[in-house]
Amino acid sequence: MDVLTYQCPQCGAPLKFNEKTQRWDCEYCLGSFDLSVLEKEEAAKEAQSSPAPEAEAAQPEGDMREYVCPQCGAHIVTDATTAATFCVFCQNATIFPEQLSGPFRPEKLIPFQVKKETAQEAFKRLCRWKPLLPRDFCAPDRIEKITGVYVPFWLYDCVANSYLTANAQRVHSWSDSRYRYTRTDHFHIERGGVMQFQRIPADGSSKMDDALMDSIEPYDMTKLVEYSPAYLSGFLAERYDESSENTFPRASARIKTTVENVLRNTISGYASVQVTNNDVQIQQQAARNVLLPVWMLMSTYRGKEYLFAMNGQTGKLVGNLPISIPKVFAWAAGIFAAVAVLLFLGGMLF
């Protein structure tokens, strides 16, 4: 399996994707190139050379893969789903194009639009003014480990045929000179319709926490572009290991909830409403394999993992923070001491 790297056409140095300009920049000769230039250069190299045997993939054990870095010759060992990574020795951005070929080839992707520095600053802001946070949790060396990852997602186009029934009540009250009267009218309500859904996402990687991936949505799907391996340069990338059939139930559950809410919101003017039946039949029309950008940071504190994720397009950040137990006791002791002093002073005054 070939190893692919993108180098500056002018000086041969590694190129870095610029999230702001959506171009590939060279930090050495300050060149800047668009996608068409890189694809033309890659096509020319393929036409002039044949794959070198040392760049072929080996399979040392189980599902692991071994490659040779074309920059320094070091061996790179990854798992079976990794499609882009870095050489641990020279930090060269390395892409394994065959990992995203055939049925695994994405149709489209959304390029990163949030820079790494922005993601790091957002994580720092998340940690500010958190008195119970462990002191070293936001250390600079930890924040530096924030990594951009292209996560595989399935996008579903579906048609939902729905039928909802409900019971509802209207209550009228009035009174005369002797009595107060209440009348309750009962209604049987039916709603139904056909709804079209497009690009409903569900991540297709078993490595990713589904709830976390759902929570950093939405993505602006109008920004999808045609897939090119060049976009992977400088980032990690994964291929899907969960089929569209396996992830479709997650998308279906979201669609059913949306359909019920839409139909339920058409019922108004009643004192109370009880949904008695919600039948939603979902027909899948298409499932597209795409890559979506995520900034990720995995941290371990006292043996527990804490995962942070940021939408690489919008900057939406989610994650949970650890609590320092010694700080909790110190905080509680401080509060107890303050209350004790106030009570003592109150006793002296009264």
Side-chain angles (χ1 to χ4, degrees), residues 11 20 35 332:
C11 69
K20 184 177 181 180
L35 181 60

Side-chain angles (χ1 to χ4, degrees), residues 11 17 26 35 113 143 147-148 160 173 199 318 320:
C11 69
F17 182 71
C26 176
L35 181 60
Q113 296 179 14
I143 297 176
T147 305
S173 299
R199 297 171 177 172
V318 296
N320 57 335

Side-chain angles (χ1 to χ4, degrees), residues 105-247:
R105 179 181 174 84
E107 289 189 25
K108 296 177 181 293
L109 62 75
I110 293 179
F112 274 86
Q113 296 179 14
V114 175
K115 297 179 71 67
K116 181 177 182 178
E117 294 78 9
T118 303
Q120 291 172 328
E121 286 300 319
F123 180 72
K124 292 178 184 178
R125 289 195 299 271
L126 182 68
C127 296
R128 285 181 190 145
W129 311 115
K130 302 292 192 302
L132 301 183
L133 189 68
R135 182 174 301 176
D136 61 343
F137 190 76
C138 293
D141 59 338
R142 189 189 299 271
I143 297 176
E144 183 62 30
K145 295 178 181 177
I146 290 178
T147 305
V149 183
Y150 277 106
V151 178
F153 275 75
W154 291 103
L155 299 185
Y156 296 96
D157 293 346
C158 305
V159 172
N161 290 279
S162 55
Y163 177 71
L164 179 145
T165 60
N167 294 328
Q169 297 79 37
R170 284 181 182 154
V171 179
H172 301 275
S173 299
W174 69 95
S175 59
D176 56 22
S177 58
R178 299 183 58 188
Y179 299 103
R180 179 171 181 80
Y181 305 91
T182 300
R183 187 185 76 190
T184 302
D185 297 323
H186 295 268
F187 300 87
H188 174 74
I189 300 172
E190 298 182 3
R191 294 287 190 271
V194 178
M195 300 183 193
Q196 184 81 38
F197 291 85
Q198 292 184 328
R199 297 171 177 172
I200 304 300
D203 74 272
S205 173
S206 61
K207 296 180 183 179
M208 303 299 165
D209 183 277
D210 295 340
L212 196 66
M213 293 298 101
D214 291 344
S215 63
I216 63 174
E217 293 179 26
Y219 286 89
D220 181 0
M221 299 301 178
T222 64
K223 303 299 183 181
L224 285 164
V225 301
E226 295 297 325
Y227 167 73
S228 170
Y231 286 105
L232 309 185
S233 182
F235 301 97
L236 299 183
E238 293 288 322
R239 78 180 191 188
Y240 71 81
D241 60 357
E242 294 182 324
S243 68
S244 59
E245 291 79 9
N246 290 341
T247 59

